[in-house]
Amino acid sequence: MAQDEFFIPVSGFDLPRFAGIPTFMRLPHVPPGHARFGEVEIGLVGAPWDGGTTNRPGARHGPRALRDASTMIRAMNGATWVAPFELARCADLGDVAINPGDLMDSLGRMEAFYDRVVAAGIRPLTGGGDHLCALPILRAVAKSRPVGLIQFDSHTDLNDVYFGTSRYNHGTPFRRAVEEGLVDPRRYVLIGIRGSAYGREDWDFAAANGIRIIPIAEFHARGAEDVMREAREIAGAGPVYVSYDIDFVDPTFAPGTGTPEVGGPDSWAALQVARGLGGLDIVGADLVEVSPPFDVSGATAWLGASLMFEMLCILAQGRSGWQGTGS
Ligand code: MN
Ligand code: MN
C-alpha cells in the first residue's frame, strides 16, 4: 500500500531531528475538527493530566517530554522491521484540553475527546498523564461492550478509596473500570506487581473477580515471552485495551516517575512485553506516569516514547484485520 504523503512523518534525512515543531514521532498534527481527522486510523494523543496523583506529581508534563523524545524515532522498527507509517494512517491528535482545577470535569473532558476519536474509527495511543487517564479512555473505547485489559504496572491500581473520600485517583482506575463494566475481569491480566503494599484488599478484589495477577517474581522466573503467551490467551480474540505504566520498568531505566518500585524489568524486557502484544485486537493503548520533573537525564521519556513506538507497530500490524475502518 502506497501511503498518503500527508501521513508520513518528517524524515531525519529531510530535516534534522532536533529541528521543527515536535509532534509525536514527527507526524502531522490533526486535531478533532481538522479536515483530515476522519482519515486517521491510529491517533497519538497527549493527556496532560496528573490531578489523580496521590504522591509525587509531574506527569502532566509527560506528553510534551514524550513528544520531544519521540522525534528521535525513525520510520522502521529495527528489531521487527515493521514500518508502521506505511501500514496505517497515523497522526498526532494533540492534547486533551483538561481542566487542572477540576478532577470530575477533566474526566468528562477526556471521555468526550475520546468519544470523538472512537466515533471517527480512530484507535488511540495515548501518552499520559497519570494512570487515572485510563478510566475516561476506557469509558469511550468500551462504551458499547466490555474489553479485555493487559496492564503493565508495579501497582494493581485496584484500590477502592483513598483519604476517606477519593474514589477517582491513579490508584483506583481499574477498580472503577471493572465496577462500571468497562473491563471483563476474566479477560484482564496485570503484570509486574511488586513493592510494599497497603494491604491485600486490592488482591482480594482481583481474586474475587477472576483477574489474573502475574507478580514480579513470577515474571522474572518465566521471562517476557512466556508471560506474554499467557497474557494473549487471557485477553483472547475480542477487543482489548493495553495500559502501560512506566513504573512497570525498573527505576534504574525509568527513574522519572512518581511511584517507582525497585526490582523490575530492564528496558529490554520492557520492549519485549510490548512486542508480545502481536495478534491481539487492540482498540487502544496508553503509556502513562512519565514525570519529567523526576526525569533528570530524560531517559524515562525516551524509554516511554520507544514503548509507544513498539505499541504503535503492533497496532499498525493489526490494522488490516480491523472491521469497518479505513479502506
Ligand atoms: Mn504504577
Ligand atoms: Mn499505574
Side-chain angles (χ1 to χ4, degrees), residues 4 18 47 51 73 103 106 131 142 168-169 194 208 218 220 222 264 307 311 324:
D4 186 327
F18 51 82
I73 301 278
L103 188 152
S106 291
H131 222 156
Y168 298 98
N169 60 64
R194 61 186 186 272
E218 183 180 346
H220 285 310
R222 293 172 59 189
L307 290 169
M311 291 193 281

Side-chain angles (χ1 to χ4, degrees), residues 41-325:
E41 293 172 312
I42 301 171
L44 287 90
V45 181
W49 167 260
D50 66 4
T53 304
T54 57
N55 191 358
R56 306 192 304 169
R60 69 178 61 182
H61 304 293
R64 192 161 283 182
L66 288 164
R67 277 196 180 88
D68 192 12
S70 78
T71 61
M72 293 197 284
I73 301 278
R74 302 179 187 87
M76 190 170 283
N77 188 317
T80 63
W81 299 110
V82 174
F85 310 113
E86 298 290 338
L87 297 174
R89 291 186 293 273
C90 306
D92 186 332
L93 308 185
D95 283 347
V96 184
I98 55 86
N99 173 354
D102 190 326
L103 188 152
M104 297 310 281
D105 183 41
S106 291
L107 291 180
R109 285 163 178 249
M110 285 191 267
E111 182 180 348
F113 184 98
Y114 287 93
D115 279 344
R116 294 184 72 175
V117 171
V118 171
I122 301 170
R123 304 214 176 187
L125 172 57
T126 300
D130 72 32
H131 222 156
L132 181 59
C133 296
L135 180 62
I137 299 171
L138 281 165
R139 284 172 175 166
V141 301
K143 192 145 278 173
S144 59
R145 73 282 179 257
V147 297
L149 176 62
I150 297 179
Q151 178 187 349
F152 303 105
D153 207 322
S154 63
H155 315 97
T156 66
D157 298 349
L158 287 172
N159 294 303
D160 190 10
V161 179
Y162 282 59
F163 317 118
T165 60
S166 174
R167 300 182 73 247
Y168 298 98
N169 60 64
H170 72 161
T172 67
F174 303 108
R175 178 75 159 249
R176 300 287 93 85
V178 170
E179 290 171 351
E180 294 178 22
L182 306 172
V183 170
D184 178 351
R186 293 157 303 173
R187 296 180 52 227
Y188 176 7
V189 56
L190 247 159
I191 303 169
I193 308 307
R194 61 186 186 272
S196 53
Y198 288 105
R200 290 200 55 94
E201 204 270 341
D202 51 337
W203 283 66
D204 292 342
F205 176 83
N209 286 276
I211 299 165
R212 169 74 162 120
I213 294 180
I214 300 179
I216 197 65
E218 183 180 346
F219 178 85
H220 285 310
R222 293 172 59 189
E225 285 76 7
D226 192 41
V227 163
M228 290 312 296
R229 192 174 305 122
E230 182 186 350
R232 290 192 301 271
E233 280 172 19
I234 291 168
V240 59
Y241 187 77
V242 177
S243 199
Y244 203 130
D245 186 327
I246 195 72
D247 72 30
F248 168 73
V249 189
D250 192 88
T252 302
F253 303 90
T257 193
T259 319
E261 305 290 354
V262 299
D266 63 16
S267 57
W268 176 250
L271 295 167
Q272 287 295 90
V273 295
R275 291 169 188 153
L277 296 165
L280 294 167
D281 183 19
I282 299 171
V283 294
D286 65 53
L287 186 287
V288 296
E289 297 285 356
V290 171
S291 178
F294 295 104
D295 192 23
V296 177
S297 70
T300 314
W302 173 228
L303 179 57
S306 301
L307 290 169
M308 289 182 75
F309 182 68
E310 293 294 339
M311 291 193 281
L312 178 68
C313 288
I314 298 294
L315 274 163
Q317 274 186 295
R319 180 229 166 263
S320 59
W322 298 351
Q323 302 297 312
T325 53

